[in-house]
Amino acid sequence: MTELRRALDAHAWDRSIGLWDAYFAVAWTATLAFVCAADHPGAPARTVAGGLLVALVPWYVILGRKLLQEDPPDERRALVYLGGAMALFLPSAILADGMRLVSFALIPQCFMTLRTRWALTAVTVINLVPLVGWALLRHPSGEDLFSSSLFASVTLVFSVVIGGWIIRIIEQSWERAELIAELEASRHEVSRLSAAHGALAERERLSREIHDTLAQGFTSLLMLVQAVEAELEHDVPQARRHLALMAETARQNLAEARALVAGGTPADLEGASLPDALRRLAARHDAEVEVTGPVRALPAGPEVVVLRSCQEALANARKHAGGSASLAIALTYADETLTLSVSDDGCGFDPSAPTGGYGLSGLRARAAGVGGTAEVRSAPGEGTIVTVRLPVLPVLGGAS
C-alpha cells in the first residue's frame, strides 16, 4: 500500500494545481473583460452576470482547488462544487452570451472530478442550457441563433474529445501506478528470494567445505587415536609415527579452518601445484599417485573441486574399505578435460542403494558446480572407483 501511495503521488495533476489556477484565472479574466467591453446586453444584465462571475472565484478557491488535488476526488463533494459552479455560471451565461467563455475552465474540472456518465451530463448542461435560455430570453434572429448553436455544438464536441483524453490519461496513470507498485513489490520479493538463495547456497558451500576438510580431518584423528591406543603396549615406534601423523593432521586441519574462514585457497594448494597437493594428501592416506598428460596451471575452481573430491573419496575409502585396502589416485590432464580417479580394492558396495551420508551427493554437487560430472562405480566385493571429469580451457596450439 505504501508503494502504491508513493506511485500515485507522482501523478502529474498532483504537481500541476498551479497550472490549473493560472488557467482558471486566465479564462475568468478574459470572460470578465469580454463581457464588460460588450455593447449587448445592457448594463444591468452585464452587472448581474459579472457579479455571478466574481462569486465564482471564492467558490473555486474554497472548494474547487482542494477537490482537484484529491486522488481520487470525492464524487459527492464534486457534485456539490460543480452544482454550485453551474448555479453561478448558467444564469450569467443566459444573461450575457459572452459569459460562455468561462465554460472552458469548468469543463475540464467535470472530467477531473466526476465519473464519465456524470461528467458527460454536466458538460452537456454547461454547453446547451445557456444556449436554450439565451434563445428563449432574447429571441435572437435566425442568423444569430445559428452562429450561437454552431459555437455551442463545436464547444460540446471539443469538450467530449478533451474530456475523453483527460479520462484516458487518468486511467493510464492509475494503471501505471498500480504496475509500478506491483513491480516494486516484485523487486523486493526477488531481492528477498535472492538473498535467501544466496544464504542457502553459502550454507551448502560451507557444509561441503567443512565435510571435506574439518570433518574428514577429525575422523582421521579419531582413527589415529584408536590406532595409537592399540599400539602403545607392543609397538611404540609405530605409535610414535602415528602420533606424528596426528600432529600433522591437526596442523593441516587448523590451516584448512583458517583458509575456510578467510575464504582463501585450500591449505594443500597454497603455494603448490595440484599434483603436489594430491601427493601430500596421498601420503597421509598411504595412497599411490599417477599423473598423466601435460601438467599446467588451471583456474582455481577446477583444482579445488579435484582436491576436495579426492579428499572425500580417500576418506570414504578408509572408512568403508578398511585400513588394509590399497588406494590409488590417477590425475589425467587432457586438452579440454581434467579427470580424477580414486580407486580402492576394498569390499565395495551397491551405489544404487540409498545412503544417509552427505559425501557422495556433495561430491556430485561440487562437480556439477563447475560443469563437470562425478561417477561412482562399485559392487560388493569388487572395490570402488570414483571418477570426476571437469571441463577446462583447451591447450592453445594443442595436438592436431
Side-chain angles (χ1 to χ4, degrees), residues 105-286:
L106 296 178
I107 288 171
Q109 297 179 18
C110 296
F111 288 102
M112 294 173 65
T113 58
L114 298 175
R115 296 180 183 177
T116 304
R117 177 170 57 88
W118 285 107
L120 291 176
T121 300
V123 167
T124 302
V125 170
I126 290 174
N127 281 282
L128 298 184
V129 169
L131 174 65
V132 174
W134 171 79
L136 294 175
L137 179 65
R138 300 295 179 188
H139 303 289
S141 64
E143 183 179 351
D144 290 341
L145 181 61
F146 174 77
S147 61
S148 297
S149 299
L150 182 61
F151 176 80
S153 300
V154 171
T155 304
L156 179 60
V157 172
F158 172 79
S159 302
V160 172
V161 171
I162 195 67
W165 178 76
I166 291 174
I167 289 175
R168 285 196 299 273
I169 292 296
I170 293 175
E171 290 176 348
Q172 287 181 359
S173 185
W174 270 94
E175 292 173 358
R176 290 172 181 172
E178 293 176 355
L179 179 60
I180 290 172
E182 292 175 3
L183 291 176
E184 189 70 15
S186 300
R187 188 179 69 83
H188 284 304
E189 182 65 12
V190 169
S191 177
R192 185 188 66 81
L193 293 176
S194 178
H197 177 73
L200 180 61
E202 181 64 12
R203 184 182 303 171
E204 291 180 352
R205 186 190 71 82
L206 288 176
S207 297
R208 287 196 300 267
E209 294 290 340
I210 291 173
H211 179 274
D212 294 345
T213 56
L214 303 182
Q216 303 294 3
F218 290 135
T219 301
S220 298
L221 286 174
L222 182 60
M223 294 175 61
L224 288 171
V225 167
Q226 294 171 347
V228 170
E229 287 179 348
E231 295 163 351
L232 279 176
E233 295 183 358
H234 62 275
D235 194 348
V236 175
Q238 182 66 16
R240 287 177 176 171
R241 284 192 293 272
H242 281 160
L243 285 173
L245 187 56
M246 286 175 61
E248 175 62 24
T249 302
R251 282 192 291 269
Q252 188 69 24
N253 245 28
L254 180 60
E256 291 287 5
R258 288 171 176 168
L260 184 61
V261 171
T265 305
D268 281 321
L269 282 174
E270 188 67 37
S273 65
L274 178 58
D276 291 339
L278 293 184
R279 291 187 183 99
R280 287 206 296 261
L281 182 61
R284 297 198 293 270
H285 291 270
D286 296 326

Side-chain angles (χ1 to χ4, degrees), residues 276-356:
D276 291 339
L278 293 184
R279 291 187 183 99
R280 287 206 296 261
L281 182 61
R284 297 198 293 270
H285 291 270
D286 296 326
E288 297 180 356
V289 178
E290 179 183 2
V291 180
T292 58
V295 177
R296 63 186 187 275
L298 296 174
E303 291 193 341
V304 171
V305 170
V306 166
L307 178 63
R308 296 306 190 208
S309 300
C310 188
Q311 288 175 326
E312 174 64 23
L314 291 175
N316 285 340
R318 283 300 177 213
K319 181 178 179 180
H320 300 290
S324 61
S326 298
L327 304 179
I329 302 172
L331 181 65
T332 302
Y333 286 84
D335 287 347
E336 299 184 0
T337 58
L338 179 65
T339 304
L340 169 73
S341 179
V342 180
S343 59
D344 66 73
D345 58 2
C347 58
F349 69 101
D350 181 7
S352 62
T355 60

Side-chain angles (χ1 to χ4, degrees), residues 6-92:
R6 186 183 300 121
L8 293 178
D9 287 343
H11 281 319
W13 59 80
D14 288 336
R15 304 189 302 270
S16 59
I17 188 61
L19 295 177
W20 286 112
D21 289 344
Y23 175 71
F24 182 87
V26 169
W28 183 88
T29 303
T31 303
L32 184 62
F34 184 79
V35 171
C36 292
D39 295 330
H40 301 282
R46 282 184 286 143
T47 301
V48 174
L52 294 174
L53 183 63
V54 170
L56 188 60
V57 174
W59 187 251
Y60 168 77
V61 173
I62 295 173
L63 294 180
R65 292 186 79 255
K66 293 180 180 179
L67 194 66
L68 294 179
Q69 294 178 81
E70 292 181 4
D71 190 14
D74 182 82
E75 189 170 40
R76 183 173 300 178
R77 291 177 54 231
L79 289 173
V80 171
Y81 164 69
L82 290 172
M86 284 192 286
L88 297 173
F89 163 74
L90 294 177
S92 63

